[in-house]
């Protein structure tokens, strides 16, 4: 396997253990830290930097007005579908559905992150885990379906 930049800049796990406080300070105040342990590689990153890294993540919502006057919202990236009496109600229901899905995904991470149909959900899940309801709402792009 070809060498990468991360291989060159990673700190050894034993050094991180010895310099734990310094390493955490670097992550919090300066930059992410890459750590290698034998054949394992991890990255330590603070939440603000993670928010920046995932700022491109948007939730595409297709809203459809049903014959009964209710609204159905389909979240394309996560295959979630919710229904409510109003557009705003549907959006709020989707916000809650995104959060619940993210919690479930994280709880069963080894299953969902490797399944062919759900591993691509990871960026959307991570964004939901660190976002407030308002931040999730702001990341929604609503499109009208059959209205």
């Amino acid at each position: 396997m070809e060498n990468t930049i991360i291989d060159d800049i990673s700190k050894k796990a034993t050094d991180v253990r010895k310099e734990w406080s310094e390493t955490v300070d670097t992550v919090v105040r300066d930059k992410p830290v890459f750590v290698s342990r034998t054949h394992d590689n991890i990255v330590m990153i603070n939440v603000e930097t993670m928010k920046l890294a995932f700022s491109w993540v948007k939730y595409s919502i297709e809203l459809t007005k049903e014959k009964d006057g209710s609204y159905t919202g389909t979240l394309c990236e996560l295959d979630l579908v919710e229904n409510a009496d109003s557009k705003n109600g549907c959006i709020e229901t989707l916000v809650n559905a995104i959060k619940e899905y993210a919690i479930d995904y994280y709880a069963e991470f080894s299953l969902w992150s490797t399944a062919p149909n759900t591993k691509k959900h990871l960026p959307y899940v991570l964004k939901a885990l660190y976002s407030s309801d308002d931040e999730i709402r702001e990341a929604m792009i609503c499109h009208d379906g059959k209205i």
Side-chain angles (χ1 to χ4, degrees):
M1 180 182 231
E2 194 174 331
N3 204 28
T4 66
I5 294 171
I6 289 174
D7 295 328
D8 296 334
I9 63 173
S10 290
K11 292 180 78 169
K12 292 180 181 168
T14 54
D15 294 337
V16 170
R17 191 175 335 143
K18 289 178 196 170
E19 303 162 1
W20 179 249
S21 291
E22 270 181 49
T23 302
V24 171
D25 287 344
T26 298
V27 170
V28 170
R29 293 183 180 84
D30 189 22
K31 62 187 173 191
V33 172
F34 297 92
V35 181
S36 64
R37 183 187 72 177
T38 315
H39 299 292
D40 299 324
N41 297 294
I42 66 167
V43 61
M44 296 171 64
I45 188 169
N46 75 41
V47 174
E48 289 306 312
T49 304
M50 194 160 129
K51 284 182 177 184
L52 181 61
F54 288 96
S55 62
W56 63 271
V57 173
K58 303 292 181 199
Y59 301 103
S60 301
I61 311 295
E62 184 176 295
L63 290 171
T64 304
K65 186 171 185 177
E66 303 295 346
K67 291 179 182 177
D68 66 359
S70 68
Y71 285 83
T72 299
T74 304
L75 177 59
C76 304
E77 293 84 5
L78 300 179
D79 304 320
L80 295 175
V81 179
E82 295 292 333
N83 183 273
D85 292 337
S86 66
K87 268 187 181 183
N88 287 340
C90 191
I91 289 169
E92 292 310 308
T93 304
L94 281 166
V95 168
N96 290 328
I98 290 167
K99 290 170 29 181
E100 288 174 19
Y101 180 76
I103 291 166
D104 291 345
Y105 191 105
Y106 186 75
E108 298 289 334
F109 191 82
S110 60
L111 172 68
W112 299 117
S113 67
T114 58
N117 61 330
T118 56
K119 64 183 176 181
K120 66 182 186 254
H121 295 177
L122 181 59
Y124 304 95
V125 166
L126 290 175
K127 185 173 188 99
L129 290 173
Y130 67 69
S131 294
S132 68
D133 289 5
D134 285 341
E135 290 171 324
I136 292 172
R137 244 181 259 105
E138 289 170 14
M140 289 180 161
I141 300 172
C142 295
H143 306 279
D144 287 337
K146 300 173 188 169
I147 296 182

